[in-house]
Amino acid sequence: HVQLVESGGGSVQVGGSLRLSCEASGVTGSSYCMAWFRQAPGKEREGVASIDSDDNATYGDSVKGRFTISKDNTKNTLYLQMNSLKPEDTAMYYCAADPLCRAGNGVGHVTGYPNRGRGTQVTVS
């Protein structure tokens, strides 16, 4: 049973930084993918960043150079470091996991990941 719990969201000024965390349980094995996606009111879901068990990372065009995805296997935790935040980054951020990476590693595949958390709100103003 996969469980994902996000934390670290909040309100921040333009240009500021936040680090999101996602505590994961049940994501085991030698081949998996995890990701962050976001959704703002009235907008479509957007893949932000993804990473696989070999630490291959991908990023959406709108966050490249500003966001970094990483994971700590010893803590079963996924992170998203967000720098140089912009108002357009305001959204609910969700952690997602595909324990066998069947959907593939990549921000374009995140909607196919079968597991996701409840989200954490990020507001930039």
Side-chain angles (χ1 to χ4, degrees), residues 5-17:
V5 180
E6 303 95 336
S7 62
S11 296
V12 65
Q13 292 184 337
V14 173
S17 299

Side-chain angles (χ1 to χ4, degrees), residues 52-118:
D52 66 13
S53 49
D54 293 326
D55 287 336
N56 297 302
T58 73
Y59 296 92
D61 289 341
S62 62
V63 305
K64 281 180 182 176
R66 300 188 298 122
F67 291 11
T68 302
I69 189 171
S70 63
K71 56 184 175 66
D72 185 334
N73 295 329
T74 64
K75 297 181 179 179
N76 295 320
T77 301
L78 180 74
Y79 300 101
L80 183 69
Q81 178 66 44
M82 306 186 296
N83 298 328
S84 302
L85 283 161
K86 304 175 181 180
E88 50 264 43
D89 295 319
T90 295
M92 185 72 80
Y93 283 72
Y94 299 87
C95 174
D98 187 348
L100 298 178
C101 203
R102 287 175 172 159
N105 181 30
V107 293
H109 302 291
V110 173
T111 54
Y113 289 18
N115 308 105
R116 61 200 61 177
R118 293 188 173 186

